[in-house]
Amino acid sequence: MEQLLYASEVVVNGLMAGVMYALVALGFVLIYKASGVFNYAQGVLALFAALTLVGIQQGQVPFAHLINAMTGGHLDSFGWTVPSLLAIVLTAGVMVILAILIEKLVLKHLVGQDPIILFMATIGLAYFLEGLGDLMWGANVKTLDVGLPQGLSETMESWTNSLTGYGFFIDRLDIWATVIAALLVAALVAFSQYTKQGRAMRAVADDHQAALSVGISLRFIWVMVWSIAGFVALVAGIMWGTKSGVQFSLSLIALKALPVLMLGGFTSIPGAIVGGLIIGVGEKLFEFVTSQAWFASTFGFTLSATESWFAYVLALIFLVFRPQGLFGEKIIERV
């Protein structure tokens, strides 16, 4: 019975992790639906947003260490701090400006080009933004605190203990991150399905030239979608940065979104949600099962650190048997 209750706790934590994976994957889906290309830079957008947020919060001077190296000065900060909420709003504004610059300097020159050209452009953009973030804010690990509660939730522990006799140990940050991510996911689904801009976004993904011919502004759609992807990246950067610190490995969270997309489908927002939940629960539950004594006695071995590879193995299986994912569109080309 105790093992069953512990497994239930593992599932709950897996669902919370899955919502976060889905949030990261949504940034990829939005760009893919608007341009038909996989945005390699999405993980770096989360890193850049988190770095910018910390820099604004702490009143840091952008490019300070570069200016000091060139002038021999000791410029560091403006001498003030910015409240978390205002810093988040200002960072969101920076992400909108970044989206406008990306459209003006990169995307508008690639209208009608093959998807592989756009994909290569996002690879270059990823490395550029990573270098820009380093130059602007420095490469040292930064602490991010926007006031979200952290530590084990005594309320959740006592509530589950009264229901089951076993208290679930769940981080309060995970609870808040799950709620915020779920609300954002629901808003994005509603936007994509029920708004004029959402329908225009899907039209642009189908055919750039056809969308232009019916009066849809391709440039506006791209700015809008990259801005939304920037907001998603900002939220993801806040959650992951608060949990593990803002460091350049934060951009690697994009790699965990790849299996989510392969399961759910690159063109489906609901697929990103379901894929994230499957990956989150699956990796936690698989590690729990393979670490049990009965597993070792049955198979003669145990597995460890399975969270680092389980999602990719599951994605590989899907690629073999259902390459379009659970909700993706099956494309048949006749030649």
Side-chain angles (χ1 to χ4, degrees):
M1 183 62 180
E2 183 178 348
Q3 289 295 318
L4 181 61
L5 291 172
Y6 184 58
S8 300
E9 180 184 345
V10 171
V11 169
V12 171
N13 280 283
L15 288 172
M16 292 182 173
V19 172
M20 291 299 298
Y21 294 156
L23 179 62
V24 177
L26 275 175
F28 290 97
V29 172
L30 288 169
I31 299 295
Y32 192 88
K33 287 174 74 69
S35 61
V37 67
F38 175 77
N39 177 27
Y40 186 84
Q42 185 62 30
V44 182
L45 281 177
L47 168 65
F48 185 82
L51 286 171
T52 303
L53 176 58
V54 174
I56 292 175
Q57 270 189 312
Q58 298 177 354
Q60 185 178 345
V61 178
F63 304 103
H65 66 290
L66 181 62
I67 295 172
N68 292 336
M70 295 175 63
T71 63
H74 300 282
L75 190 65
D76 184 25
S77 68
F78 292 110
W80 66 68
T81 58
V82 179
S84 296
L85 183 58
L86 178 58
I88 291 173
V89 172
L90 292 175
T91 305
V94 171
M95 301 309 290
V96 173
I97 294 172
L98 181 63
I100 294 172
L101 292 175
I102 290 172
E103 190 280 326
K104 285 186 176 295
L105 300 178
V106 181
L107 298 179
K108 81 172 185 178
H109 303 290
L110 301 176
V111 175
Q113 296 293 326
D114 292 334
I116 186 62
I117 302 298
L118 287 166
F119 174 65
M120 295 300 293
T122 66
I123 293 178
L125 183 63
Y127 285 105
F128 172 78
L129 288 177
E130 190 166 343
L132 181 64
D134 187 3
L135 286 174
M136 287 183 68
W137 309 113
N140 56 307
V141 179
K142 299 172 176 59
T143 301
L144 176 59
D145 183 8
V146 294
L148 292 175
Q150 299 186 54
L152 294 178
S153 172
E154 295 85 359
T155 302
M156 183 64 69
E157 182 183 357
S158 61
W159 181 67
T160 53
N161 187 52
S162 63
L163 289 177
T164 64
Y166 176 83
F168 286 12
F169 294 96
I170 299 176
D171 196 311
R172 286 181 291 178
L173 177 61
D174 290 338
I175 297 173
W176 276 93
T178 301
V179 172
I180 294 171
L183 291 174
L184 183 57
V185 167
L188 290 173
V189 171
F191 172 81
S192 176
Q193 299 297 325
Y194 304 112
T195 65
K196 180 181 178 180
Q197 290 78 10
R199 291 190 293 270
M201 181 178 68
R202 296 198 300 272
V204 169
D206 289 337
D207 192 314
H208 292 175
Q209 298 299 334
L212 286 171
S213 68
V214 296
I216 296 175
S217 173
L218 186 60
R219 298 182 63 179
F220 170 76
I221 293 297
W222 273 353
V223 169
M224 178 190 70
V225 171
W226 277 83
S227 297
I228 295 174
F231 296 152
V232 173
L234 173 58
V235 175
I238 289 173
M239 301 310 170
W240 291 100
T242 302
K243 181 185 289 286
S244 57
V246 178
Q247 50 193 314
F248 278 77
S249 61
L250 184 64
S251 62
L252 299 179
I253 63 174
L255 296 179
K256 188 54 72 77
L258 289 177
V260 174
L261 295 169
M262 292 174 188
L263 262 67
F266 279 81
T267 60
S268 174
I269 290 179
I273 300 168
V274 174
L277 295 177
I278 292 175
I279 293 295
V281 173
E283 66 182 15
K284 300 286 187 184
L285 205 54
F286 185 77
E287 180 156 2
F288 168 73
V289 170
T290 55
S291 64
Q292 298 301 300
W294 64 265
F295 183 90
S297 61
T298 302
F299 297 99
F301 64 91
T302 58
L303 298 174
S304 60
T306 59
E307 283 191 39
S308 61
W309 55 262
F310 171 82
Y312 301 98
V313 173
L314 185 59
L316 180 61
I317 295 173
F318 265 77
L319 285 176
V320 172
F321 294 102
R322 191 177 175 84
Q324 74 272 22
L326 292 173
F327 297 88
E329 300 174 0
K330 189 173 184 179
I331 300 174
I332 299 175
E333 295 185 357
R334 294 179 175 86
V335 295

